[in-house]
Amino acid sequence: LPELEETYLITVNESGLEGNSYLWTGTYSEIDGVTSAVGFYFGEFNGSSFEYLNRYKFNEFENFFSYLDEARQEKVEKKKKRKESKGKEFRISSRIAFHDVMERKDGYLLLGEAYRPTYRTETRMVTTTGANGVTTTTTQTYTEFDGYQYSHAILCMLDLNGKLLWDQVFELKPSYKPMRVKKFINMPNESTGEIKLSYASLGSIHTKIISPSGEIIQEAASEDVESLYEGDKRKRSLYYLDHWYNDRYIIHGSERIVNKEDEKVKKRRSGYSFSLIEFK
């Protein structure tokens, strides 16, 4: 397709619209064979041609670095200025797992979660016996896949012609690294009104409410998962947040708890918890 010349698609998602049109969205690179994207594309395809096709680079996002602390933001800004002073483009590459496009009355919502693969090094002792009966032991080092580390999420609002209206970027730190690409954030399908996001991270429930114009109007509703006994302290936890129905969610997961204050309970115990929460 001419609209995609010099563009290398990494991911492609298609969803149907009324009639015979389809929304195309996904990530792309400007270098062949690269798996990390420099941006995402968004277009409407009528079966033979595009009604529109827009591409947006991550380095053009207004809030792309907002999930970083001030020191890291300053470091990135300095690197960007050095690149631009030399006449070079400052590129940002990322792997994004996009949710299905959500249709709104006045446009489309696109939510994506950024992740990267991680690896660990393992050392193993290998014993072999030669033809002469002599046994030798050698040390071999292997690189093993250690799951996907998630870092942040992006939420974009586009109008009915695929023009980017606003973007929000926020930190995303799940309590574990999945072995396959998945999506952690819950976003109810609402055609109008406020946008509600919820997810579990590091033993807490995080919620955000964003106005239709892209302003975060509530993000302080982060609560720790309640413990069973007074004096309970979590040393390790792994939680999942699943949408049940309407504004109700179930948070569940395993936990390792230490309690040195209550003599009626074990000092150390493991368990699995279920909790019902309501997000309004």
Side-chain angles (χ1 to χ4, degrees):
L1 297 173
E3 293 88 348
L4 295 175
E5 287 182 357
E6 300 181 0
T7 299
Y8 300 93
L9 305 187
I10 298 175
T11 61
V12 179
N13 300 300
E14 183 182 77
S15 56
L17 296 173
E18 291 185 3
N20 296 319
S21 294
Y22 301 87
L23 283 178
W24 276 28
T25 186
T27 56
Y28 72 93
S29 173
E30 295 175 337
I31 302 174
D32 190 15
V34 175
T35 57
S36 293
V38 296
F40 76 93
Y41 60 91
F42 193 93
E44 182 178 343
F45 189 66
N46 62 20
S48 59
S49 62
F50 279 100
E51 298 292 337
Y52 60 84
L53 179 63
N54 302 323
R55 282 169 284 188
Y56 300 100
K57 292 185 179 181
F58 297 136
N59 61 0
E60 298 172 349
F61 279 28
E62 182 179 353
N63 300 301
F64 194 83
F65 299 111
S66 60
Y67 74 96
L68 299 174
D69 57 41
E70 290 185 7
R72 292 171 66 192
Q73 285 190 44
E74 185 177 349
K75 185 176 181 180
V76 171
E77 288 297 331
K78 288 182 179 179
K79 184 177 180 180
K80 181 179 179 180
K81 289 179 180 179
R82 285 198 303 269
K83 285 277 188 178
E84 293 175 345
S85 66
K86 297 178 182 179
K88 298 181 179 180
E89 182 183 3
F90 178 65
R91 293 174 179 267
I92 303 169
S93 61
S94 186
R95 302 186 187 201
I96 305 288
F98 277 114
H99 293 237
D100 292 337
V101 177
M102 186 176 295
E103 292 187 54
R104 303 272 288 184
K105 185 177 180 180
D106 53 350
Y108 306 98
L109 277 178
L110 188 60
L111 174 64
E113 303 179 21
Y115 65 93
R116 61 179 176 83
T118 62
Y119 301 89
R120 67 177 185 274
T121 301
E122 291 189 355
T123 302
R124 303 171 188 170
M125 305 298 292
V126 179
T127 301
T128 57
T129 302
N132 56 2
V134 177
T135 300
T136 59
T137 301
T138 58
T139 301
Q140 297 183 2
T141 301
Y142 299 86
T143 300
E144 299 283 352
F145 176 61
D146 196 37
Y148 292 106
Q149 179 67 63
Y150 284 65
S151 57
H152 60 282
I154 61 174
L155 179 65
C156 303
M157 180 69 186
L158 303 103
D159 68 14
L160 295 173
N161 294 313
K163 179 182 177 182
L164 182 62
L165 299 176
W166 54 260
D167 64 83
Q168 283 291 348
V169 181
F170 54 92
E171 188 176 41
L172 175 63
K173 282 190 174 181
S175 56
Y176 73 102
K177 295 187 291 185
M179 302 304 288
R180 60 179 178 83
V181 177
K182 64 168 295 181
K183 303 173 187 72
F184 288 92
I185 302 174
N186 294 283
M187 182 171 67
N189 193 347
E190 301 287 349
S191 61
T192 59
E194 297 170 343
I195 303 158
K196 297 180 179 181
L197 304 174
S198 60
Y199 55 96
S201 179
L202 298 176
S204 298
I205 303 165
H206 296 260
T207 61
K208 293 183 184 294
I209 299 178
I210 301 175
S211 71
S213 60
E215 298 175 354
I216 297 179
I217 56 180
Q218 181 180 329
E219 60 176 343
S222 178
E223 301 176 358
D224 290 334
V225 178
E226 293 184 4
S227 298
L228 185 61
Y229 301 104
E230 186 176 352
D232 281 352
K233 294 182 179 180
R234 290 183 182 81
K235 293 299 181 181
R236 187 176 65 253
S237 59
L238 175 60
Y239 290 114
Y240 307 86
L241 182 67
D242 296 321
H243 180 244
W244 187 17
Y245 70 94
N246 294 340
D247 292 325
R248 290 174 172 81
Y249 295 81
I250 295 175
I251 184 168
H252 59 99
S254 58
E255 53 188 14
R256 179 66 174 169
I257 296 176
V258 175
N259 191 323
K260 297 181 180 180
E261 299 179 12
D262 194 335
E263 298 180 354
K264 298 180 181 179
V265 300
K266 291 183 178 180
K267 290 185 178 180
R268 300 179 185 274
R269 67 183 194 277
S270 299
Y272 201 91
S273 65
F274 287 87
S275 299
L276 173 65
I277 65 170
E278 188 172 5
F279 177 27
K280 292 184 176 181

